[in-house]
Every structure is written in C-alpha cells, then in structure tokens.
Amino acid sequence: MKHDAGSNETRANIRHWHPMAAPRAAEQAAPLVFERAEGVYIYDTGGRRYLDSQGGLWCVNVGHGRKEVKQAINAQLERLPYYTTFGDTSNLPVIELAERLIRMLAPEDMQRAFFGSGGSDANETAMKLARQYWKLSGEAQRTKFISLKQGYHGVHFGGTSIGGQMYLRSMYEPVLPGCFQVDTPWLYRNPYTEDAEELGQVCANLLEREIVHQGPHTVAAFIAEPVQGAGGVIVPPDNYWPLVREVCDKYGVLLIADEVVTGFGRSGSMFGCRGWGVKPDMMCLAKGINSGYIPLGATVVNERVRKAWDSDHPLAAILHGYTYSGHPVACAAANAALQIVEDEDLPANAAKVGAYCVEKLQNELGDYDVVGDIRGKGLMIAIELVTDKAAKESFTPDDPYLHTLQELTRKEGLVIRNLGSSLIISPPLVFTEEHVDEMTGMLARAFDNAAAVRN
C-alpha cells in the first residue's frame, strides 16, 4: 500500500522512537522520510533529490545502491540467509571476510577477527577481550581503561563509560567504574598551546601522567579514535599517535584504536592509524566494513593479544558473542563492498577530494562571521560554528540559528549533520570534486539565508 509523503511524515513518529532524539521533540517535528537512494543522492517519498553529505551515518563508503553489493546480498540469501557461528559452526562468507580483513591489516600484524552487529559491539568486545587478556597473562589487576575527552565509543554501557562526551552519559549514570578520560589534542580548543607539535607532546604526557597516577599495573588499555568523529572531527597533531604508542609500550598498556568511523578509507588512508604509521594492539571496525548495507562490526587483535589464548588456561573460553556474529548476509555484503574499496582505491579518493573540500570550504565559507574553524582529514570534515570568532564562543544547543540553518540546507537539497555547534561532512567515498562544488554552493546559500535570524 502506497502512502503519500504527508501520511508517512505523520506515521514516522507515532510508533517509532528515534535514536539520539528526545521523543517529545521528535513527535512535534516533521521528519524527512527517505524512500530510495543511488550513488551520493537520496530521495524522499515525494521524489525530491538530496545530496547525501553525511554518508548515511559516516558509513555508506561505496555509495548507495551499488549493484555489486546488492547482488552479493541476494545471492547469499538464496544460499544461506542465516546460521549461528557459535561453537563449532561457521559459514563461507565469514571465513572469507576474516581472511580478507587479516590480509588488509597485515601491516598492523592483526591475526584474528571477532564479529558483531556494529561499532558499539566492536568496542564492547575490545573492552572484554582486553580484561580477559590480562587475566590470561597473569595480571588480573589490570582492569582500568583510559580514553579521551570528546571521544565516542558507542552506546553500550562499556562504550558509554569510556566515552568522553558527558551529555551522552548523564542520563545513564552511574557508569562502569575504572574508566578515566584525559585531554584531547584539539588544536582549535585547548588551554595549552597553538603549536600542533607541542600540543601532541603535551597530550601524550597527560596520558602518561594518568597511567602513572592510576598505577600502570592496574591499567588494561588506552582506547581512542584516530580522528574523533562524533566529538567534532578532531584531527590530532601528526606526532600524537606515535607518541601514544610509545607511552603504551613503556607501561605495557594495550592500545585500542576505535576505527569504527576511520576504518576502510574515510580518513584518507585505509585505516586511520596507518596514516600515522602506528600499529595498535586491537582495532574496532564497523560502518565502512560493508558500507552500512547490513549491520556488521568486527574487533581484530594482533599477535601479542592472540598469543594469550594459546594456553589451556581455565579462563581462556571467549564467553562473549552475539546472535548475529558472523551473519552470512552481512559478511557477503562486506566482501563485496571491501572489494570495491580496494579496486577503486577509495582511500586515495577520500584523501584527494577531502583536501579539495577543506580548501573549497575555507575559500567560500571561511569569512562568514559564524564560521570559527574548518578542519578535516580525508572525507571527515567539520565546520565549527561560533557566535563570536575572537572568543570562539559556541552556539547553545537551543539557539534557533542552528535549527534554521539545518532547515535551509534541506531546502537547498542537502542533507548535512548538525552535531552541536558543528556541521559534519562525511559523504560517500565516491564523492567527486564536482559534488563538493555542488555542496559548497548549497551551504553558501543556506548561510546567506540564515543570516537574517541573527540580525
């Protein structure tokens, strides 16, 4: 039965609670209801086309509607729609995907993959494996986690506890004990220095001080995103991650890279940490693993971690997993999507188009009085909005300007993510310079039309 756009907008909020939204506010809004998508464009139920500058939610790396991925999904549905991978059963797509990931991650010496249904699962798995690793290694007192302020690691209780955005934690506290945050190397907003290299050293020193303060013998792992995504696309100085690796090595602390957003090309290299030549001990993957076509995530571990499970230790069983771990359809989609990522060298395209995009935005939008900072790496880009450039004063969440700007971008035919005082740009990695030009023109018109709200 086909419904018109108005009835779909009404129905959208009656029985469905939206993620990351206040139900009462959502019920009073008229949501965009999308019906189909192709390439870098999505279409609402009225047939109107929008440029997807947020890539679904950081994830549609290969673009919408790729026939290769759809064919892989359909073929797998015909063969084996689902079966568990618990215990001693498996399926061909998950075997192929595990082999593919380990091949792709050979520079990082990753050796084993564990699958779940998304990024939150991947981070939860990493936390549990980290604690189990230390029990198997004879250091059961290593249970603490250190992470970064502004960090985001999913919405399970583990991820919420190590997350550094307090507004995402307050309604669910108390969170798990033993989780601590240190300052983020945020060049635009930090109390230490305006010099990038000095900031990288300062923040690495803060991590070391926290490890020493907690007692190195009690710290299981440090976990961070190579480039912070939901925190506002915070790109660390080039020396930061190499220094972090040195600090973790000095005290034997595991280094976990949350590559849920950065993995598979978004930051301009195949993996975020690889862009700085750093080898983590664990990596958390999702989103781009199959471009969001079917929910899927993975946690991979290196040889150091893997070896802890070589013994017959009574705690060696991995008593963790999900009904959909290694789902054959999701893994088939991943194998097809990752083949596209490699064949079309989408990391290189993200680096090239991302650099063009940052420069274009700075040239076209940098002089607007509400634009405080434009930053990014690859196709992870943020336009940070301020009420006062000199003071770097952020908009309050309830400022009508932010809502007006979002509505005006949609009227232009652009879907862009408002995240606090920032506009987040994370389009499919098949984005071209022509798409950047189209997007920038839409944004400029939206900024011009929104100016009246502040005057």
Side-chain angles (χ1 to χ4, degrees):
M1 178 177 175
K2 186 172 179 61
H3 299 270
D4 62 36
S7 64
N8 282 325
E9 291 169 356
T10 302
R11 294 167 61 218
N13 295 332
I14 292 177
R15 302 298 183 193
H16 175 207
W17 272 358
H18 294 259
M20 298 294 179
R24 183 171 176 82
E27 287 169 7
Q28 295 171 349
L32 273 175
V33 181
F34 293 117
E35 188 172 39
R36 64 186 182 90
E38 182 179 358
V40 300
Y41 295 99
I42 45 181
Y43 299 78
D44 67 19
T45 52
R48 188 175 184 213
R49 190 179 81 168
Y50 299 81
L51 182 64
D52 182 10
S53 72
Q54 64 180 39
L57 197 61
W58 309 94
C59 58
V60 189
N61 290 9
V62 301
H64 298 281
R66 293 295 296 254
K67 68 178 186 305
E68 305 95 316
V69 183
K70 292 190 292 185
Q71 288 170 352
I73 290 170
N74 290 333
Q76 187 58 43
L77 285 171
E78 290 293 329
R79 289 192 293 267
L80 179 70
Y82 168 76
Y83 206 77
T84 177
T85 59
F86 276 35
D88 62 351
T89 56
S90 190
N91 61 74
L92 292 176
V94 74
I95 293 170
E96 180 184 345
L97 180 57
E99 292 173 342
R100 181 186 295 271
L101 291 178
I102 299 311
R103 173 183 60 76
M104 294 177 74
L105 287 159
E108 287 74 28
D109 190 32
M110 294 296 151
Q111 295 294 323
R112 295 291 187 273
F114 188 99
F115 294 97
S117 299
S120 293
D121 287 358
N123 284 308
E124 195 82 1
T125 298
M127 293 177 71
K128 292 176 78 172
L129 291 180
R131 284 189 171 177
Q132 188 174 11
Y133 166 84
W134 287 115
K135 287 179 170 62
L136 298 178
S137 300
E139 297 187 60
Q141 69 274 34
R142 283 190 182 257
T143 61
K144 297 175 182 176
F145 296 95
I146 300 174
S147 54
L148 292 177
K149 297 174 183 177
Q150 284 80 46
Y152 178 79
H153 302 289
V155 295
H156 295 342
F157 252 100
T160 300
S161 301
I162 59 176
Q165 299 178 61
M166 300 310 293
Y167 79 97
L168 293 174
R169 297 170 51 162
S170 59
M171 62 283 291
Y172 305 113
E173 290 177 327
V175 293
L176 299 180
C179 299
F180 307 91
Q181 285 82 41
V182 295
D183 281 355
T184 289
W186 189 355
L187 193 59
Y188 185 64
R189 295 187 182 277
N190 79 86
Y192 306 110
T193 179
E194 294 182 0
D195 180 83
E197 186 170 349
E198 182 181 9
L199 179 61
Q201 185 67 65
V202 166
C203 289
N205 290 345
L206 290 173
L207 170 61
E208 181 172 16
R209 289 177 61 185
E210 186 65 23
I211 292 172
V212 171
H213 173 68
Q214 295 296 332
H217 65 288
T218 70
V219 179
F222 172 67
I223 180 169
E225 305 151 272
V227 177
Q228 288 186 315
V233 186
I234 300 173
V235 183
D238 288 343
N239 64 338
Y240 178 71
W241 271 89
L243 288 171
V244 162
R245 179 72 270 184
E246 290 178 13
V247 170
C248 289
D249 287 343
K250 182 177 180 179
Y251 297 101
V253 172
L254 293 174
L255 176 57
I256 303 174
D258 179 348
E259 297 257 9
V260 169
V261 171
T262 54
F264 308 106
R266 181 155 296 284
S267 67
S269 58
M270 186 62 79
F271 299 96
C273 282
R274 191 176 294 178
W276 290 288
V278 172
K279 301 178 181 181
D281 298 297
M282 298 187 194
M283 299 169 73
C284 305
L285 309 169
K287 295 191 184 291
I289 194 169
N290 67 10
S291 288
Y293 279 66
I294 305 283
L296 182 66
T299 306
V300 292
V301 304
N302 69 359
E303 180 64 7
R304 170 194 176 184
V305 175
R306 185 207 65 79
K307 287 193 299 185
W309 275 265
D310 275 347
S311 70
D312 293 323
H313 194 290
L315 298 179
I318 300 176
L319 299 181
H320 171 75
Y322 304 93
T323 298
Y324 303 116
S325 290
H327 193 290
V329 180
C331 292
N335 285 316
L338 293 181
Q339 191 65 51
I340 294 170
V341 170
E342 292 188 291
D343 288 348
E344 299 183 6
D345 197 2
L346 294 187
N349 189 66
K352 172 178 173 287
V353 176
Y356 176 83
C357 185
V358 170
E359 181 178 9
K360 180 80 173 182
L361 291 171
Q362 289 172 339
N363 290 338
E364 299 294 328
L365 304 179
D367 291 336
Y368 282 83
D369 60 359
V370 294
V371 175
D373 190 32
I374 298 172
R375 56 181 176 267
K377 186 173 177 61
L379 282 171
M380 294 180 69
I381 298 165
I383 304 171
E384 185 164 346
L385 306 176
V386 294
T387 60
D388 186 312
K389 274 195 171 185
K392 300 182 181 179
E393 184 178 341
S394 298
F395 283 88
T396 59
D398 59 349
D399 193 300
Y401 177 81
L402 298 176
H403 176 74
T404 298
L405 185 61
Q406 182 181 48
E407 290 299 308
L408 289 170
T409 58
R410 289 185 176 182
K411 285 183 178 179
E412 291 292 332
L414 176 67
V415 175
I416 194 166
R417 190 179 184 196
N418 284 65
L419 200 59
S421 280
S422 294
L423 301 178
I424 304 298
I425 298 168
S426 57
L429 304 191
V430 294
F431 229 52
T432 65
E433 293 180 358
E434 289 73 22
H435 294 133
V436 170
D437 294 342
E438 180 183 4
M439 178 189 71
T440 305
M442 293 174 174
L443 282 171
R445 290 189 292 274
F447 276 117
D448 289 340
N449 292 330
V453 175
R454 301 193 67 228
N455 295 331

